[in-house]
Amino acid sequence: MRHKRTARLLVGHLLVERHAVRPVLGHLVVPLLMCLGMGLAYLGAFHAPQAHAHDLRVAVVGTSEHNRLLAQAIKDRAGDAVDVTTLPDRAAARQHIMDRDLVAAYVPRSQHPELLVAAANSSTSATAAEEIFTTVAAQQDAPLRITDLSRPAGGDPGNQGLFFVLIALTIGSNACAVAIGTAGAALRMWTRLAIGIAGALAVSVIGAVLAGPAFHVVDHDLRGVWAMAWLYAAGITTLGIGLHAFLKRLTMPVLMVLFIMLNFTSSGGVLEPELQNGFLGSLHAFWNGAGFVEGARSLLYFGSAGLGARLLSLVLWLLAGLLLVARAAVAERRGRPAPAPVLPAGAESGDPTFRTAAV
């Protein structure tokens, strides 16, 4: 009986305050949609990666007839999951892996077959390749030796530290953009932009300190990683400031879709595109999160292989943000009434002296 009485009281209060409750319920729609979107994005992107495997680039070392038949047998067994080629020798295989053209290369030997990988490129892709070639070696009754050609940083043995740096940079940049757009609405757009660039600089410095001296995720070329962090943060911040001029309170949900739901899942920080569906794999080619993660990996572990394209993507995202800010500045200037002219003292009171001077 007590529970029923309490329920009736609660319902009564809600009916009495329904006019005040209705806008609260309206505001709850956005966070609930964000919860649904986050769940769909992350579970859709990261569950059962082996089921999404496609075009995993691997090679068999050796050009003999036996090795060509082995490569074809692997392709026939794995289907679209792998893209198998043959290479003339181990040195060529190593070069292709360090150029980021291959995930792994199998060196057939009767006693100790070897698999060359670079886990810093993607530990999950390397693991997928190991599973495939462990089965191949087992058919020869020989243990498979794994050789990792990359050298992970001391603070990042799992090769996912850069992804967590990306998360910190993204959250900070999103929050800066919304804070500037909301609290600085009365400021001129170019003033907001200057504050946003400074905020992005602060975010990038925090990210560099966390990645370097704090947690040793980056143990060399920290200045280069910091520069990419600033480009990344500035791109998000400027886009957010520009969007806020048009979207107002919807800016945060839009930024979450662009730079958290789509960005984190396509960045390659957890899974490379060959272990994801085609949509996220296509985003990986040009999205800004992939630009930072893959650019930093190229700089730190692969002698800058592919770095130029990733830097270009970060610069283009920043240019897009600056163009959007410029468009927002024009729209705001057109939408504001012209300021009233400032008249000298006495003009409004009809001072004859002023009238005489004016004539």
Side-chain angles (χ1 to χ4, degrees):
M1 292 295 293
R2 182 180 302 173
H3 295 304
K4 291 182 180 180
R5 192 181 309 115
T6 302
R8 284 198 295 269
L9 286 173
L10 288 174
V11 172
H13 285 308
L14 288 174
L15 290 174
V16 171
E17 299 180 332
R18 62 183 180 275
H19 298 297
V21 169
R22 189 176 294 118
V24 176
L25 295 178
H27 279 77
L28 282 176
V29 172
V30 172
L32 291 176
L33 288 176
M34 289 166 62
C35 174
L36 175 62
M38 290 289 288
L40 290 174
Y42 274 78
L43 291 173
F46 298 144
H47 87 290
Q50 299 292 357
H52 295 294
H54 61 91
D55 298 323
L56 195 70
R57 295 161 297 167
V58 299
V60 174
V61 175
T63 56
S64 68
E65 184 64 21
H66 171 76
N67 289 342
R68 285 196 292 269
L69 291 174
L70 175 60
Q72 186 60 50
I74 295 170
K75 174 64 178 175
D76 292 341
R77 187 180 305 116
D80 293 335
V82 297
D83 180 6
V84 189
T85 59
T86 57
L87 292 172
D89 51 42
R90 189 179 185 277
R94 185 186 189 284
Q95 187 62 50
H96 277 282
I97 291 173
M98 297 308 291
D99 286 341
R100 309 189 74 181
D101 296 329
L102 287 178
V103 170
Y106 179 68
V107 184
R109 296 193 183 105
S110 57
Q111 296 298 321
H112 299 288
E114 180 184 22
L115 184 68
L116 305 177
V117 298
N121 187 41
S122 171
S123 57
T124 50
S125 295
T127 299
E130 288 174 21
E131 292 180 3
I132 293 171
F133 286 102
T134 297
T135 303
V136 174
Q139 292 175 351
Q140 301 175 358
D141 294 325
L144 181 65
R145 185 177 70 183
I146 309 296
T147 300
D148 189 352
L149 301 176
S150 59
R151 183 187 63 83
D156 189 23
N159 295 299
Q160 293 186 350
L162 290 171
F163 177 65
F164 298 114
V165 175
L166 175 75
I167 292 175
L169 294 173
T170 306
I171 299 300
S173 302
N174 280 353
C176 282
V178 174
I180 293 168
T182 303
L187 298 174
R188 288 171 35 183
M189 179 59 70
W190 302 115
T191 304
R192 276 175 270 169
L193 174 62
I195 297 172
I197 294 297
L201 178 62
V203 167
S204 67
V205 170
I206 292 171
V209 170
L210 293 174
F215 294 103
H216 306 289
V217 171
V218 176
D219 57 4
H220 61 92
D221 289 304
L222 182 60
R223 281 185 292 184
V225 174
W226 163 77
M228 283 184 277
W230 179 81
L231 283 172
Y232 174 77
I236 292 179
T237 304
T238 53
L239 281 166
I241 292 172
L243 285 172
H244 195 275
F246 301 102
L247 301 180
K248 305 305 179 188
R249 69 187 185 94
L250 292 178
T251 304
M252 179 56 83
V254 171
L255 290 178
M256 286 195 68
V257 171
L258 292 176
F259 301 120
I260 294 180
M261 295 179 191
L262 297 178
N263 193 24
F264 291 172
T265 51
S266 66
S267 67
V270 176
L271 297 177
E272 286 289 292
E274 57 263 17
L275 295 179
Q276 295 186 304
N277 61 56
F279 172 68
L280 293 175
S282 64
L283 292 184
H284 180 83
F286 64 91
W287 217 253
N288 59 345
F292 172 75
V293 170
E294 301 294 5
R297 282 174 175 167
S298 293
L299 177 65
L300 295 174
Y301 302 119
F302 298 98
S304 299
L307 177 60
R310 295 303 181 177
L311 283 176
L312 178 61
S313 72
L314 293 175
V315 170
L316 290 177
W317 276 89
L318 176 56
L319 288 177
L322 294 174
L323 289 174
L324 183 59
V325 167
R327 178 68 183 85
V330 171
E332 287 189 352
R333 189 161 55 247
R334 290 175 177 172
R336 289 177 180 172
V342 179
L343 300 177
E348 296 180 358
S349 61
D351 188 335
T353 304
F354 172 78
R355 289 199 300 271
T356 304
V359 173

